[in-house]
Amino acid sequence: LLLWEAWAQSKNPVTRQGSPLQGPRIRLIEEAQRLFSHSKEHDFEAKACDEQARLLKIQQELEAKTGKAIFVDTSVSDTIRTCIVLKNHREAQRIRVEFKVPDKRFYWLKVLALAYIKDWDALEKF
Amino acid sequence: MAQLPPLENAPINLIGLRKEAQLDLVEALDSMRGRKLLVLDPKLSGPLTLIVQISLLKEHGVENLSHLSGDPIQSDCTNVIYIVRPHLTLMKLIAAQIQHDKRNQQERQYSLYFMPRRSTACEKVLEAEGVHGGITFGEYRMFPIPFDDDVLSLEHELVLKELQVDGDPTSLWDLALTINNLQSRFGLIPNVKGKGDAAKKVFSIMKKMQEEQALTTPEGQPEIDTLILLDRQVDLVTPMCSQLTYEGLVDEFLNINNGCVELDPAILGGDKKVKVPLNSSDKLYRDLRDLNFGVVGGILREKAASMKQDYTDVKTTNQEFSDLKKFVKKMHALPEMTRHIDISQYLTTFTRKRSFMSRLIMEQTLVEGQEYDICYEYIEEMINKQEPLISVLRLLVILSVTNNGLQKKHFDYFRRELLQSYGWENLFFINDLERAGLLRKQESKSNWLTLKRGLRLVVSDTDDSNPKDISYAFSGYAPLSIRLVQHALHASGWRGIEDMMKLLPGATFEERQGSQQQRRSSFSHRPPSLTNLTTGHQRMPSANNLTDLANNVDGRRALVLVVFIGGVTFAEISALRFLSSQESMKHDVIVLTTKLCNGTSFLQSLQTNPLGG
């Protein structure tokens, strides 16, 4: 069991050594997830890997859409915030649902992001 | 260049200790003739400045000093000396530098000193890179670095990680070797007490080393009376709490590194960063460092007022010369005075913040162990606001340790929240925290409340300006680690609190080191072993050693060496100093630790960087 984990761990850093090609990276993370899911104990890790793979895919799409290379390698929260800052509320909502972000955190992110771009009207409405 | 801490007032001869470290270093330098370049492991250069001054290095032909990095060597020196910790990543850097020289047909001589010991794995790396043959190898023995009259440290920051996460006990060997070296200097320490598995292990290694290779102790009464070994695992709560002593706060907000603090121009005025040494040579600092920060301001004001009074006295009245002299002497303390006023003013900008106060309240609530729901909410909100990961974790760790882990539901929830907020790569970090026992799933009920009551960890009526208990260092929370030391030095020892000791993790032991080992040692010959390669000094074994090492009959205060395996915070040291200053205490205390740390640096030592390795 530990071996599996160690192997997956050593693999993951390799994947992180950021080539701009996200494709192989995602595949490696999915591989790690598969390894983690071999045992019940690493349930959590498996889920985390799964989420990360999905997140990377979404971030890739976002970068393609916005033409800005600022999404990859940021966290779920960061991504939501960036979306709101860019006034892309629809995407923010989508990520919120996709990753089951708790309401509280989402609202905090939204408030902080809106304050950051000084969008007081939106802040008022919300 | 910072000054070396003066050690004249140390209860044991620490200057001698430092001298020896200097001599060993000089020996290493002199092993190569002529001018040379000294390349240091960046992690070591700070601690080394506490041992030697640059001028001494220059005297021994060191032309240039540089930090080991990925860049090739820029120097025309043909001799290069490396002094590094035996880490694999560093070997790669060294190999790259040598290979670069080869390609450029730059002929140099290389020697490589490992601190504290050679490692086969490292040499294998160099072999694989094809540079092993061109290097002369040596060892630079591990010395405890004297930071002050009563503080020694090995400055080995990765002990916790190596020990708990990687399961690598090398650092315990180093520590055991260090303590044995101290014993060969200052005499076999008769009383040994320890708590925690690492403590037990260090002691058994010490004994084993003594058996394998005669420990020779100087004649006469041993200078150190009691050795207390404490495993950091026994008390993980204290380092996570915000330190509230002056020195502790300086460390929390400004970071004390190698006995120095680097001050921004914004604090002192002027236009560049200033490095200020913080040790007992600064008399004012010596008075202030261990006090609760709450009273520091008042004392500074008082001192300033008395100085002003003196000043007017001098101006108005006719004074004897002796009085004038006294006055001028006092004036010399003026720069220190202004400095500390500046520093404390700067600190109050933090301590007056609402967030700091609410954090303290939260810590207090956590150690009280009554209402956890508020704490859950508070930490959740911190994560939501994306406050720095480490400060979130410090609270979460207290929560986890005092609760003997988080309930599975909360554990998974927080882990998920952390990953989603701070990035997925922290999965490894959290994993390591879990292995180090800092953050985990609850498996059985916590006994924190019993401990809290039994050891009086929360003292409600503390008067910070006139403290009666060690709890002043954290304004109400008495650090568990120091409470244990206090009980250990009590007449009944740890037997008096046996029930409590059982609740804490790891083995407990109290032993006496007798003269029996020594008698045996005088006949055994020294087998060639690792230390023999490294130790420069050897004392003749003394045949007739003391048989009675029992009490100090001459009324001298007994000296206690407290060893913290895995790091110690400044506030804990302050609390220890406070203990030894109490009238009822007949002990002076010296602290030896693997690393001076605070909660932040403690957690950071576990934070692996997946990119850099």
Side-chain angles (χ1 to χ4, degrees):
Chain A
L1 278 181
L2 273 170
L3 251 172
W4 282 117
E5 189 196 11
W7 196 67
Q9 275 216 3
S10 67
K11 270 248 135 123
N12 281 329
V14 179
T15 63
R16 293 196 44 76
Q17 255 153 22
S19 66
L21 295 166
Q22 300 299 322
R25 229 175 97 175
I26 295 177
R27 234 175 298 133
L28 270 171
I29 294 171
E30 279 167 350
E31 172 74 5
Q33 183 221 335
R34 204 175 55 72
L35 292 176
F36 276 131
S37 61
H38 275 288
S39 78
K40 265 219 160 98
E41 256 173 74
H42 298 119
D43 215 15
F44 179 82
E45 284 82 355
K47 264 191 216 144
C49 287
D50 172 47
E51 281 195 352
Q52 180 63 12
R54 279 189 290 146
L55 179 64
L56 273 172
K57 277 182 203 155
I58 292 176
Q59 286 174 335
Q60 226 171 335
E61 277 170 37
L62 282 171
E63 289 197 351
K65 265 189 224 163
T66 56
K68 290 181 180 130
I70 45 172
F71 288 101
V72 169
D73 272 346
T74 58
S75 67
V76 173
S77 293
D78 292 334
T79 312
I80 292 177
R81 226 159 44 159
T82 322
C83 282
I84 298 176
V85 169
L86 295 172
K87 306 206 178 174
N88 194 341
H89 293 280
R90 211 171 49 84
E91 284 295 341
Q93 204 62 35
R94 186 185 137 206
I95 298 168
R96 174 190 178 184
V97 177
E98 172 91 30
F99 294 104
K100 302 196 191 73
V101 172
D103 291 350
K104 254 199 225 162
R105 173 142 58 92
F106 184 75
Y107 293 137
W108 266 112
L109 291 169
K110 195 161 174 181
V111 168
L112 288 172
L114 289 177
Y116 178 75
I117 53 169
K118 305 204 164 56
D119 189 348
W120 306 124
D121 294 339
L123 201 55
E124 188 92 26
K125 258 186 263 161
F126 154 90
Chain B
M1 168 97 307
Q3 282 174 339
L4 302 178
L7 304 165
E8 291 105 14
N9 300 322
I12 51 175
N13 183 6
L14 293 181
I15 297 182
L17 198 67
R18 187 167 64 198
K19 272 266 158 55
E20 204 178 305
Q22 286 174 349
L23 280 179
D24 265 23
L25 184 63
V26 164
E27 207 173 290
L29 294 177
D30 287 345
S31 69
M32 262 190 168
R33 252 178 263 169
R35 303 182 306 138
K36 56 213 127 199
L37 172 74
L38 182 61
V39 184
L40 291 175
D41 179 345
K43 287 272 159 60
L44 287 179
S45 65
L48 281 179
T49 55
L50 290 167
I51 293 178
V52 288
Q53 277 173 310
I54 296 283
S55 55
L56 184 79
L57 297 181
K58 289 221 171 95
E59 277 168 34
H60 291 271
V62 174
E63 188 95 331
N64 262 314
L65 196 75
S66 77
H67 281 173
L68 183 57
S69 68
D71 306 329
I73 299 171
Q74 308 263 349
S75 162
D76 55 349
C77 283
T78 50
N79 296 321
V80 181
I81 299 184
Y82 292 97
I83 301 182
V84 292
R85 287 227 189 264
H87 288 160
L88 299 179
T89 40
L90 299 174
M91 296 306 117
K92 290 249 155 95
L93 293 176
I94 292 173
Q97 289 192 336
I98 296 178
Q99 280 161 353
H100 181 269
D101 286 348
K102 265 193 193 153
R103 273 196 301 279
N104 293 337
Q105 321 227 302
Q106 172 77 259
E107 287 239 352
R108 294 188 215 266
Q109 290 211 334
Y110 306 94
S111 29
L112 175 54
Y113 281 84
F114 287 113
M115 183 168 158
R117 64 174 69 195
R118 286 172 84 150
S119 119
T120 333
C122 286
E123 292 188 38
K124 279 265 148 45
V125 172
L126 295 172
E127 254 167 50
E129 301 278 341
V131 295
H132 186 272
I135 306 177
T136 325
F137 290 94
E139 283 177 333
Y140 183 59
R141 186 150 61 105
M142 172 72 86
F143 283 96
I145 297 155
F147 275 72
D148 218 323
D149 294 336
D150 56 354
V151 183
L152 297 166
S153 169
L154 295 178
E155 285 304 282
H156 189 2
E157 57 192 352
L158 296 174
V159 169
L160 182 79
K161 184 173 159 48
E162 286 180 3
L163 206 60
Q164 303 297 338
V165 181
D166 307 337
D168 170 6
T170 328
S171 50
L172 297 186
W173 285 83
D174 294 338
L175 185 63
L177 186 59
T178 307
I179 300 173
N180 270 348
N181 278 335
L182 286 177
Q183 291 199 99
S184 70
R185 250 171 189 283
F186 303 114
L188 194 70
I189 304 171
N191 302 303
V192 180
K193 294 163 196 248
K195 176 70 191 167
D197 290 335
K200 177 106 194 163
K201 201 145 182 195
V202 167
F203 188 50
S204 69
I205 297 173
M206 278 167 58
K207 281 197 288 194
K208 208 167 142 204
M209 281 179 178
Q210 287 167 23
E211 268 166 35
E212 276 175 8
Q213 147 192 49
L215 180 81
T216 50
T217 48
E219 285 185 53
Q221 204 158 34
E223 292 184 56
I224 303 171
D225 179 68
T226 304
L227 170 69
I228 300 178
L229 295 160
L230 277 182
D231 184 355
R232 189 76 267 180
Q233 287 302 106
V234 175
D235 175 16
L236 290 166
V237 173
T238 309
M240 293 301 127
C241 294
S242 299
Q243 311 173 63
L244 295 177
T245 56
Y246 183 46
E247 187 165 32
L249 271 178
V250 172
D251 186 37
E252 295 275 348
F253 290 115
L254 297 165
N255 286 324
I256 299 177
N257 267 321
N258 306 309
C260 282
V261 65
E262 209 167 304
L263 297 176
D264 230 43
I267 307 171
L268 289 186
D271 47 26
K272 53 175 205 251
K273 284 197 170 183
V274 197
K275 251 193 175 175
V276 177
L278 292 178
N279 55 47
S280 54
S281 61
D282 178 345
K283 292 215 174 53
L284 183 59
Y285 186 62
R286 197 182 54 198
D287 293 344
L288 293 177
R289 71 199 304 187
D290 300 328
L291 299 175
N292 187 297
F293 184 65
V295 300
V296 167
I299 290 180
L300 280 173
R301 208 170 302 128
E302 237 170 66
K303 296 223 166 172
S306 87
M307 211 178 255
K308 197 173 166 203
Q309 182 62 42
D310 289 343
Y311 186 61
T312 42
D313 283 353
V314 170
K315 276 215 293 203
T316 49
T317 53
N318 285 334
Q319 299 262 327
E320 295 290 325
F321 275 119
S322 60
D323 288 340
L324 273 178
K325 209 169 152 191
K326 253 188 233 152
F327 173 69
V328 172
K329 239 189 197 153
K330 264 192 191 163
M331 292 299 278
H332 277 310
L334 206 57
E336 271 133 40
M337 188 101 164
T338 29
R339 194 192 301 147
H340 287 297
I341 292 176
D342 285 338
I343 295 177
S344 26
Q345 200 168 20
Y346 181 72
L347 290 180
T348 45
T349 57
F350 290 104
T351 54
R352 291 233 173 96
K353 274 191 190 149
R354 266 246 298 289
S355 57
F356 181 77
M357 287 320 285
S358 59
R359 188 189 177 86
L360 287 189
I361 294 171
M362 216 29 73
E363 284 173 7
Q364 210 69 354
T365 325
L366 282 170
V367 291
E368 295 246 10
Q370 305 284 7
E371 300 163 82
Y372 286 117
D373 288 348
I374 324 171
C375 306
Y376 280 119
E377 262 173 50
Y378 184 83
I379 296 173
E380 200 185 329
E381 199 178 308
M382 280 180 81
I383 298 175
N384 291 343
K385 286 196 262 186
Q386 295 204 306
E387 288 189 23
L389 174 61
I390 297 279
S391 60
V392 174
L393 283 175
R394 277 177 75 161
L395 283 181
L396 206 52
V397 168
I398 306 181
L399 184 64
S400 167
V401 175
T402 53
N403 260 323
N404 200 13
L406 303 171
Q407 285 168 18
K408 184 168 182 346
K409 178 181 75 177
H410 287 131
F411 185 52
D412 283 350
Y413 177 72
F414 274 117
R415 283 200 293 177
R416 213 176 101 96
E417 287 287 287
L418 288 172
L419 290 187
Q420 287 204 351
S421 293
Y422 298 99
W424 170 80
E425 62 275 13
N426 290 304
L427 182 60
F428 306 116
F429 185 20
I430 294 177
N431 226 317
D432 286 351
L433 289 175
E434 195 181 337
R435 275 196 237 172
L438 289 159
L439 192 63
R440 57 202 169 107
K441 201 163 65 194
Q442 193 174 49
E443 260 140 23
S444 56
K445 265 201 77 58
S446 153
N447 43 36
W448 178 257
L449 286 177
T450 332
L451 281 173
K452 188 189 93 178
R453 236 172 293 126
L455 294 172
R456 272 199 335 124
L457 295 180
V458 176
V459 183
S460 50
D461 54 333
T462 36
D463 178 3
D464 291 340
S465 54
N466 184 20
K468 288 188 186 60
D469 187 74
I470 51 172
S471 60
Y472 86 97
F474 293 89
S475 287
Y477 163 65
L480 170 60
S481 52
I482 310 304
R483 193 62 104 206
L484 290 182
V485 176
Q486 191 179 10
H487 278 285
L489 296 177
H490 206 260
S492 57
W494 281 338
R495 255 159 293 137
I497 48 165
E498 210 170 332
D499 298 347
M500 295 299 136
M501 296 308 282
K502 272 193 201 136
L503 294 179
L504 290 163
T508 310
F509 57 93
E510 294 184 63
E511 276 181 48
R512 292 183 61 82
Q513 295 195 94
S515 48
Q516 161 207 19
Q517 280 157 326
Q518 290 181 328
R519 228 175 294 136
R520 203 185 321 138
S521 74
S522 54
F523 297 108
S524 63
H525 61 280
R526 286 169 170 244
S529 84
L530 205 119
T531 34
N532 251 357
L533 286 172
T534 56
T535 44
H537 84 290
Q538 290 178 354
R539 279 202 176 80
M540 286 300 291
S542 48
N544 52 342
N545 240 310
L546 289 171
T547 40
D548 179 36
L549 300 168
N551 306 331
N552 284 313
V553 258
D554 50 1
R556 175 175 70 96
R557 281 164 73 87
L559 194 57
V560 182
L561 178 67
V562 184
V563 182
F564 292 90
I565 306 163
V568 69
T569 62
F570 288 104
E572 285 173 286
I573 297 176
S574 291
L576 270 182
R577 288 194 188 120
F578 170 79
L579 266 189
S580 80
S581 71
Q582 291 304 90
E583 272 172 49
S584 54
M585 281 284 287
K586 291 178 188 64
H587 302 276
D588 280 330
V589 178
I590 292 188
V591 175
L592 168 66
T593 182
T594 49
K595 173 83 186 142
L596 291 167
C597 67
N598 59 37
T600 305
S601 61
F602 188 74
L603 290 179
Q604 271 164 351
S605 75
L606 285 174
Q607 198 167 19
T608 37
N609 178 359
L611 293 172

